[in-house]
């Protein structure tokens, strides 16, 4: 067993394991002794002929490689496992311990598929940063046990002995919330920059992005004019409103991410969250630099800014209902201390049916995330709630269902009240 995997062991019995079946999480823990606990739900429906396995990707010191490998692992498992084998997202974590989450997959096969599955897992454990366990009924035929594999053997081998699997309570918040800070959301230029810099060796485009970054993090000038950010889900009317505000106020309109990043955006959208979110976070610092420049001459309207970066990242990292999000007031929703704060942030909200109607009428192709927003009601609700929970500055919600002109008038009122324009 590698030294990284060994480092997970001392608190192995304090870890909680989560397996997501059809979008719902099932939790279990492991114990050295059995005290008459029930069989966890994940194993209750497993037949005796079935065999289950877990593959967890532990964090090596190279976070970039780990993040890339996690994405590639799913493709590899889907490609190489027998088609009858069922693959579910899995994680393991220490409750309330930050950065303790390790992610992976839970595999369910049967006696016909166990040989090819075990061959694949044996190969993985010898070449990749994974910790493999298998699960089988205990001698009494009632309980289930977890056996940790050793990388030196190409067959199942328990380290010390097997552990009993027992049910565990659901944590207060989704386990992914433990690892959000500086993996999904970055709270300083340096943290996001560090990720992009480390990407330079494996993603040539990262070097081009680094060259576009401002030399100073603080906006070069403090704008004399108000800076207004317009936020909202796709097709809530941001483009329509920002164009009108530009004309009405004689303002400068800045899109976000900034135009200079457009050539690289599609490339970074394919990357795992760590890299993709670092790209968007850095985009905000470029925007802040541009705001500093333009805001000395005219008011500035910005189409999306940090609220979007954080809200989409948090809502993607966490799955399930809104109550799985980090609680209101969590540090996850804090504004980065080194990022320019706009004078006003307006969040446009729209009834989902009307939003779909506008999307249909607009008739453009949809990005993967727009598809997700369309089909996954829970994702949409999580993004909107995360928007509302972000503070410093918090956003002011405006109902975007009236006519474009009415929405404009409503937002102008807000701007005049808040920014004395
Ligand atoms: N208040 C409104 N009433 C009716 N239709 C509107 C209104 N505002 C915008 N629309 C229409 O809805 C569609 C989406 O608007 P728009 O492109 O401004 O949204 P968006 O938030 O910028 O979208 P995206 O983030 O995907 O670029 C467009 O066809 C636009 O003409
Ligand atoms: N400042 C920004 C702007 C955008 N994003 C991300 C969030 C979504 O993934 C996507 C939405 O952009 P659109 O499709 O409306 O162009 O871009 C961000 O993270 N930060």
């Amino acid at each position: 067993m590698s030294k990284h995997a060994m480092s997970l062991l001392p608190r192995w019995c304090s870890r909680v394991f989560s397996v997501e079946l059809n979008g719902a999480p099932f939790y279990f823990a492991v114990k050295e002794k059995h005290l008459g606990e029930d069989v966890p739900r994940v194993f209750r429906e497993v037949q005796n002929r079935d065999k289950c396995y877990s593959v967890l990707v532990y964090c090596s010191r190279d976070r970039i490689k780990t993040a890339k490998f996690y994405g590639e692992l799913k493709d590899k498992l889907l490609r190489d496992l027998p088609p009858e084998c069922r693959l579910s997202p899995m994680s393991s974590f220490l409750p309330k311990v930050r950065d303790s989450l390790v992610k992976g997959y839970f595999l369910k096969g049967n006696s016909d598929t166990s040989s090819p599955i075990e061959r694949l897992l044996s190969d993985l454990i010898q070449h990749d940063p994974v910790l493999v366990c298998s699960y089988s009924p205990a001698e009494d035929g009632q309980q289930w046990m977890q056996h940790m594999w050793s990388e030196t053997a190409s067959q199942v081998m328990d380290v010390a002995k097997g552990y009993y699997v027992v049910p565990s309570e659901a944590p207060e918040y989704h386990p992914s919330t433990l690892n959000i800070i500086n993996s999904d959301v970055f709270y300083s230029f340096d943290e996001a920059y560090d990720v992009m810099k480390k990407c330079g060796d494996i993603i040539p485009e990262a070097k081009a992005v680094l060259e576009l970054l401002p030399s100073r993090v603080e906006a070069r000038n403090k704008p004399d004019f108000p800076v207004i950010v317009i936020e909202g889900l796709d097709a809530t009317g941001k483009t329509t409103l920002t164009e009108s505000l530009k004309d009405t106020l004689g303002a400068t309109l800045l899109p976000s991410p900034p135009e200079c990043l457009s050539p690289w955006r599609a490339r970074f959208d394919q990357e795992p969250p760590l890299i993709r979110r670092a790209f968007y976070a850095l985009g905000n610092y470029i925007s802040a630099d541009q705001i500093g420049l333009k805001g000395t001459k005219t008011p500035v309207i910005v189409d999306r800014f940090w609220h979007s970066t954080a809200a989409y990242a948090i809502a993607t990292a966490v799955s399930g209902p809104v109550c799985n999000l980090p609680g209101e007031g969590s540090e996850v929703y804090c504004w980065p201390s080194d990022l320019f704060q706009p004078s006003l942030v307006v969040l446009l909200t729209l009834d989902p049916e009307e939003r779909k109607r506008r999307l249909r009428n607009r008739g453009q192709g949809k990005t993967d995330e727009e598809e997700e927003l369309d089909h996954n009601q829970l994702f949409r609700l999580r993004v909107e709630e995360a928007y509302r929970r972000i503070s410093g500055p918090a956003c002011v919600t405006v109902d975007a269902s009236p006519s474009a002109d009415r929405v404009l008038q409503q937002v102008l009122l807000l701007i005049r009240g808040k920014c004395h324009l």
Side-chain angles (χ1 to χ4, degrees):
M1 180 168 300
S2 80
K3 68 176 189 305
H4 297 294
M6 289 290 272
S7 69
L8 286 173
L9 275 179
R11 296 182 71 187
W12 194 247
C13 286
S14 315
R15 286 196 158 262
V16 175
F17 299 82
S18 159
V19 176
E20 216 170 287
L21 298 176
N22 303 323
F26 294 90
Y27 297 98
F28 68 88
V30 294
K31 278 189 156 187
E32 289 179 44
K33 287 203 176 91
H34 197 266
L35 302 172
E37 290 96 339
D38 280 346
V39 174
R41 272 188 68 184
V42 190
F43 298 101
R44 247 187 264 162
E45 279 134 48
V46 178
Q47 313 289 317
N48 265 0
R49 277 183 77 241
D50 291 345
K51 202 113 193 246
C52 301
Y53 307 85
S54 57
V55 193
L56 293 169
V57 179
Y58 54 79
C59 278
S60 70
R61 230 177 270 144
D62 189 337
R63 293 205 296 158
I64 311 291
K65 263 199 192 145
T66 305
K68 291 213 51 107
F69 173 69
Y70 180 69
E72 288 156 13
L73 176 64
K74 185 175 182 184
D75 297 340
K76 185 176 170 61
L77 293 174
L78 287 174
R79 191 187 58 227
D80 297 347
L81 282 171
E84 310 88 299
C85 177
R86 188 163 166 198
L87 186 70
S88 312
M90 177 172 185
S91 65
S92 161
F93 58 96
L94 292 166
K96 300 191 178 156
V97 178
R98 219 161 103 177
D99 286 331
S100 65
L101 184 86
V102 288
K103 294 200 291 182
Y105 298 97
F106 185 78
L107 321 179
K108 195 172 132 188
N110 55 39
S111 48
D112 296 335
T113 53
S114 62
S115 300
I117 295 176
E118 291 185 7
R119 262 198 309 276
L120 178 70
L121 295 180
S122 299
D123 186 61
L124 269 180
I125 204 172
Q126 286 175 42
H127 300 105
D128 294 305
V130 292
L131 190 90
V132 173
C133 295
S134 53
Y135 301 83
S136 51
E139 275 169 12
D140 66 2
Q142 304 280 311
Q143 305 305 324
W144 277 73
M145 299 205 76
Q146 181 197 62
H147 305 269
M148 207 178 288
W149 287 21
S150 155
E151 77 188 23
T152 51
S154 53
Q155 77 248 34
V156 179
M157 216 183 99
D158 43 358
V159 173
K161 56 186 168 301
Y163 294 92
Y164 290 95
V165 295
V166 295
S168 176
E169 271 181 28
E172 198 176 341
Y173 298 112
H174 193 277
S176 293
T177 61
L178 296 169
N179 283 35
I180 283 180
I181 293 178
N182 294 329
S183 288
D184 294 288
V185 185
F186 297 89
Y187 297 85
S188 72
F189 176 86
D190 289 346
E191 287 289 349
Y193 181 87
D194 186 52
V195 170
M196 193 56 65
K197 193 154 175 266
K198 288 187 176 137
C199 285
D201 293 338
I202 46 171
I203 308 175
E205 292 84 350
K207 291 195 174 122
V209 171
L210 291 172
E211 278 168 21
L212 295 168
L213 296 176
S215 51
R216 288 172 12 167
V217 178
E218 312 292 327
R220 65 176 94 192
N221 300 301
K222 189 154 175 24
D224 302 314
F225 288 86
V227 178
I228 297 117
V229 172
I230 306 297
E231 292 281 10
L233 300 180
D234 308 284
T236 46
K238 295 182 299 302
T239 308
T240 309
L241 175 65
T242 51
E243 290 286 348
S244 304
L245 286 172
K246 177 184 90 168
D247 295 341
T248 314
L249 300 173
T252 303
L253 172 57
L254 295 175
S256 168
E259 252 154 30
C260 62
L261 288 184
S262 302
W264 323 119
R265 191 175 178 183
R267 174 71 184 84
F268 282 91
D269 276 344
Q270 296 165 13
E271 292 298 330
L274 176 74
I275 301 170
R276 180 172 185 220
R277 302 301 176 189
F279 170 82
Y280 282 104
L282 292 172
N284 291 328
Y285 289 93
I286 299 178
S287 295
D289 201 48
Q290 296 175 348
I291 291 169
L293 198 66
K294 301 291 181 188
T296 55
K297 299 185 192 104
T298 64
V300 181
I301 309 295
V302 193
D303 187 340
R304 293 194 187 274
F305 195 48
W306 196 77
H307 270 78
S308 280
T309 313
Y312 278 78
I314 295 166
T316 309
V318 174
S319 58
V322 164
C323 64
N324 281 352
L325 288 173
E328 205 153 0
S330 156
E331 55 190 334
V332 158
Y333 302 114
C334 289
W335 196 269
S337 57
D338 58 357
L339 183 64
F340 167 79
Q341 296 186 4
S343 331
L344 175 68
V345 182
V346 172
L347 172 66
L348 299 180
T349 58
L350 202 53
D351 166 76
E353 285 311 311
E354 170 62 8
R355 204 178 68 82
K356 267 193 202 165
R357 195 189 63 74
R358 289 187 191 179
L359 269 171
R360 265 197 311 273
N361 286 356
R362 191 169 64 175
Q364 290 167 351
K366 283 191 246 170
T367 62
D368 290 351
E369 212 155 38
E370 281 171 337
E371 287 282 358
E372 179 76 356
L373 281 168
D374 237 13
H375 291 121
N376 188 339
Q377 217 227 135
L378 291 178
F379 177 56
R380 203 167 55 229
L381 292 173
R382 289 195 303 272
V383 178
E384 282 197 334
E385 187 53 31
Y387 265 132
R388 289 195 187 94
R389 290 186 184 179
I390 291 167
S391 60
C395 52
V396 180
T397 303
V398 167
D399 175 15
S401 46
S403 70
D405 190 54
R406 290 269 302 279
V407 175
L408 171 68
Q409 296 311 322
Q410 178 72 32
V411 173
L412 283 172
L413 267 181
L414 278 175
I415 295 173
R416 291 194 175 118
K418 181 96 203 265
C419 311
H420 314 293
L421 260 181

